[in-house]
Amino acid sequence: MHLVTTVAGVRSRRRELWRAGRTVAFVPTMGALHAGHLSLVDHAAGLADEVWASVFVNPAQFGPGEDLDAYPRDLERDRALLEERGVRLLFAPSAKEMYRRPAVVRVAVPELSAGLCGAHRPGHFDGVALVVTKLLNVVQPEVLVLGAKDWQQSVVIRRLVDDLDIPVRVEVAPTVREADGLAMSSRNAYLLGDDRERATVVRRALRAGAELIMAGERSRATVEAAMAGVVAAEPPARLQYTAVVDPQTLVPRDPIAGPSSLLAMAVTIGTTRLIDNLLVESERC
Ligand code: PAF
């Protein structure tokens, strides 16, 4: 595996691949890799000749007081895991390499970034949109592979790729879960002692919402209140938001209608913020 830390280095390797007529599926990450990331790599392997990945903790997507400094980093471990999985190139730039000077250009998808996580993390999706646009311009992959756990992120990125005519196919791979249902996340490493078990409250709340919809409930308020009730029963877990939205537009569904609805939520346990979602096929119920 090539470990490349510069934009010029990635471009040079990319030119070689074009000459050889080989395609790239790209998995962008912030490192601290877990089985969820590795499943994205496996997904990508079937979609192009080579899988490339990046590890970059993007300062632009962290707000003041968020966990940028504490975010887990272990490049040597990440490198070994990716190599074992058959990744052919790892791009691991420094912040200085990615942002050679303060960016004055903004990339934003405001309609899709305002609600859900965006309402609680102002500027977060602008930071994601900026770095993903830059990464796509550097790597120029044929396929971009994202995870369904970050559903809103995938909707934002699909739209920016479409609106900016970026020639890449966006693939979203399913969420990978621990045995007890907790969605895999680099931030799970922050959960210590009883908090790890309490974290299953997110999945339990989503399931409670889904069961109501499958039983015929069509009131968004009722479903969201039921999800909130599950979280309220598990202090010190605290609800940040629950939402029942159209999976493509992220517009709230009220009443709940259409072929499928996305249940999404964020919960904090201490200083750890957990997000997850569940797609419910409402029309068949
Ligand atoms: O999902 C992530 O890990 C990040 O938001 C991404 C897409 C790598 C951009 O920094």
Side-chain angles (χ1 to χ4, degrees), residues 1-11 26-33 52-59 73-80 82 87-99 131 135 138-139:
M1 184 176 74
H2 301 271
L3 173 61
V4 181
T5 57
T6 63
V7 169
V10 176
R11 292 223 159 105
F26 176 54
V27 182
T29 82
M30 296 208 302
L33 302 181
W52 291 12
S54 63
V55 168
F56 178 61
V57 183
N58 172 35
R73 292 164 171 88
D74 190 345
L75 184 60
E76 195 37 52
R77 179 178 169 276
D78 292 343
R79 194 199 60 72
L82 293 170
V87 169
R88 300 293 288 274
L89 182 143
L90 167 59
F91 180 40
S94 64
K96 194 111 190 99
E97 179 69 13
M98 278 310 278
Y99 298 106
V131 82
L135 288 167
V138 173
V139 175

Side-chain angles (χ1 to χ4, degrees), residues 41-68:
V41 169
D42 293 345
H43 191 88
L47 302 173
D49 297 318
E50 293 196 5
V51 179
W52 291 12
S54 63
V55 168
F56 178 61
V57 183
N58 172 35
Q61 69 189 74
F62 288 80
E66 288 192 341
D67 57 344
L68 172 63

